[in-house]
Amino acid sequence: MNTEVEPGAGSPFPEVHVKQEYAEIQKWAREFATREILPVAEKIDRTDEYPLQLQKKMGEYGLLGISVPQEYGGLGLDLMGAVVVGEEIAKASLSASFLMGVQNGLAANVIAKFGTSEQKSKYLPRLAKGESIGAYGLTEPGAGSDAAAISTKATNDGQGYVINGSKMFITQGMVADVVVFFARTGAAEDGAAGITAFVVEKGTPGFRVGQKLEVMGARGTGTAELVFEDCRIPPSNVIGHPGDGFLIAMTILGESRIGAAAAAVGVAEAALEQSMAYVKKRNIFNRPLSKYEAIRFMIADMATRISAARLLTLHAATVQASGGDFMKEAAMAKYFASETAVWVCERAIQIHGGYGVSKMLPLERFLRDAKILDIVEGTSEVQRWILSRELLDR
Ligand SMILES: Cc1cc2nc3c(=O)[nH]c(=O)nc-3n(C[C@H](O)[C@H](O)[C@H](O)COP(=O)(O)OP(=O)(O)OC[C@H]3O[C@@H](n4cnc5c(N)ncnc54)[C@H](O)[C@@H]3O)c2cc1C
């Protein structure tokens, strides 16, 4: 019994309340999600295998290069476009939205915003079309939230850089052809100022995939450890200027947090839509579940919180588009939307009773996926910390 409803079917959110062009982009993304992603979403989660075929199709459709400038083969959409698309894709499968978010929003975005023209020409066209798989390596075994404490070392020996260290929990790490990563070129005491951004390609001697990491949600996204052992890369693999790496990492993460918030909204909407369909057809004590006030109010609360999360997300994207400082808005949207997704998915399971906790329905997957969003790209605590710093210390 898999009663998974199509994205948008019976949705209380049929339209994006922004410009018409975004409504068209939403429709374009929803068509692909319904046709290509929904049918394989459960299998990706169950097998935890990287969905290479889907990745290829996403690349051909343009989803993996939505923000890459058109001159480099992407669609050249702004962040609002990426948000609208990301919500639709996550509604069908958070794992698929991770493929898009990491490729487009993280790896390609670093190169597009900070790379040299040679780096852009070399990497972006293939990333945009999904012919290369990209990853973003910041987190390490000993440094996640405190990214300025990374210890992967890049030693300049006059001819190039020699990299030693490892990266942890890297999405698409198992399969990546191109990895944008961050390493310490200065002393540990330099903190954030001693970090530089680099790019490394699969097959470079001294660079390898370490262990595959199995996680509870966003499964099938090739999460892995990446290892550098005397890996030599030329100076031309530096992205931006030496010492600017932390700034680059945080600038890009600020944008991608808005994307993560949109994904959380998508997951929560999927859980709500499934619940709305279910309560109308499930009879209990001779009445549809939808006639019980306790259930009706749960649905009302779910829809209200999702709308609030969605508005925060769209607002953050609007502030980003205006060129203003959007760190506060991104932090608010990211933690509120991911916590909302967890809350909504938990309610959705309650509404479905035994079916909710069973593997017959996708609801338990939605909850596991939602929890991942509470952790990646800066945990909820880190977002509150950023926010409180912006509010109290500036
Ligand atoms: C599925 C998945 C995919 C990922 N993909 C990537 C990727 O592609 N690239 C990448 O670089 N990283 C990736 N990550 C790593 C992710 O960004 C980190 O896991 C996350 O930032 C948290 O870091 P940590 O795991 O080291 O936890 P820690 O930093 O050790 O945090 C532990 C706890 O301390 C809390 N904490 C931290 N700071 C504060 C504070 N100031 N005040 C109060 N509490 C605090 C945290 O909220 C958390 O509850 C991924 C992780 C997962 C699970």
Side-chain angles (χ1 to χ4, degrees):
M1 177 185 163
N2 191 336
T3 60
E4 197 158 11
V5 291
E6 282 187 7
S11 171
F13 314 102
E15 294 294 331
V16 176
H17 299 294
V18 287
K19 287 190 222 149
Q20 180 59 25
E21 64 184 279
Y22 295 110
E24 280 158 25
I25 292 165
Q26 180 190 45
K27 188 162 163 266
W28 170 82
R30 186 177 289 174
E31 273 167 15
F32 182 89
T34 308
R35 189 178 67 245
E36 304 289 351
I37 302 179
L38 258 194
V40 295
E42 192 269 332
K43 186 176 169 214
I44 296 171
D45 177 67
R46 181 169 37 81
T47 61
D48 197 25
E49 279 167 18
Y50 188 82
L52 204 50
Q53 249 189 322
L54 176 63
Q55 187 270 347
K56 293 278 165 248
K57 285 182 187 168
M58 289 174 77
E60 284 159 17
Y61 202 68
L63 287 165
L64 300 179
I66 45 175
S67 312
V68 173
Q70 288 179 358
E71 59 180 308
Y72 295 108
L75 299 187
L77 295 183
D78 60 8
L79 186 60
M80 182 67 83
V83 157
V84 169
V85 172
E87 181 184 327
E88 288 303 318
I89 302 300
K91 220 174 196 182
S93 161
L94 181 69
S95 301
S97 84
F98 267 40
L99 266 49
M100 193 184 92
V102 167
Q103 177 100 353
N104 176 79
L106 290 174
N109 203 14
V110 170
I111 297 171
K113 289 223 161 66
F114 299 99
T116 60
S117 50
E118 288 76 25
Q119 288 167 342
K120 290 180 196 175
S121 307
K122 185 173 179 189
Y123 297 114
L124 290 181
R126 291 183 63 79
L127 285 170
K129 301 239 166 344
E131 291 159 4
S132 291
I133 297 178
Y136 176 91
L138 177 63
T139 305
E140 296 185 354
S145 304
D146 184 6
I150 59 169
S151 62
T152 292
K153 188 89 189 117
T155 310
N156 188 346
D157 68 358
Q159 288 162 324
Y161 290 86
V162 181
I163 318 290
N164 280 289
S166 66
K167 295 289 169 184
M168 196 66 173
F169 296 121
I170 307 307
T171 304
Q172 305 208 111
M174 288 296 296
V175 287
D177 302 296
V178 176
V179 179
V180 168
F181 73 98
F182 301 86
R184 183 161 294 288
T185 40
E189 309 81 74
D190 296 343
I195 294 172
T196 300
F198 296 91
V199 59
V200 67
E201 290 172 44
K202 185 182 190 167
T204 305
F207 172 57
R208 65 178 172 85
V209 177
Q211 54 179 323
K212 180 186 173 191
L213 301 166
E214 195 172 350
V215 284
M216 68 190 270
R219 287 163 62 77
T221 54
T223 312
E225 178 191 21
L226 298 177
V227 181
F228 297 90
E229 289 157 328
D230 289 331
C231 171
R232 178 172 286 281
I233 54 176
S236 57
N237 284 30
V238 170
I239 302 177
H241 297 290
D244 283 354
F246 190 76
L247 190 69
I248 293 174
M250 293 304 128
T251 304
I252 296 300
L253 274 176
E255 289 185 9
S256 73
R257 278 172 189 153
I258 305 176
V265 171
V267 172
E269 283 176 355
L272 173 62
E273 289 174 12
Q274 184 96 18
S275 303
M276 287 170 61
Y278 186 75
V279 296
K280 286 183 196 156
K281 63 174 196 268
R282 175 74 169 171
N283 274 313
I284 295 184
F285 302 115
N286 295 322
R287 280 203 300 166
L289 209 42
S290 61
K291 297 296 175 197
Y292 292 90
E293 193 169 273
I295 300 292
R296 297 175 74 84
F297 285 10
M298 258 201 246
I299 297 282
D301 285 344
M302 289 157 82
T304 303
R305 291 199 192 196
I306 293 171
S307 278
R310 193 163 200 256
L311 289 171
L312 278 176
T313 305
L314 295 176
H315 176 61
T318 307
V319 176
Q320 189 272 348
S322 73
D325 180 358
F326 57 92
M327 287 298 148
K328 192 161 80 278
E329 287 74 14
M332 277 185 194
K334 203 288 183 170
Y335 95 73
F336 187 79
S338 60
E339 291 186 358
T340 293
V342 172
W343 188 88
V344 165
C345 292
E346 205 264 330
R347 288 295 173 289
I349 287 180
Q350 192 67 18
I351 285 172
H352 285 75
Y355 293 106
V357 289
S358 79
K359 295 266 181 190
M360 287 183 272
L361 295 178
L363 294 155
E364 58 83 37
R365 162 163 60 90
F366 294 164
L367 181 59
R368 288 186 282 105
D369 281 348
K371 188 61 207 168
I372 291 289
L373 288 165
D374 209 359
I375 303 288
V376 296
E377 307 202 6
T379 62
S380 286
E381 288 74 26
V382 166
Q383 302 313 313
R384 285 182 171 89
W385 181 70
I386 292 171
L387 197 47
S388 57
R389 193 188 55 196
E390 297 279 324
L391 293 168
L392 298 170
D393 303 338
R394 281 199 197 273

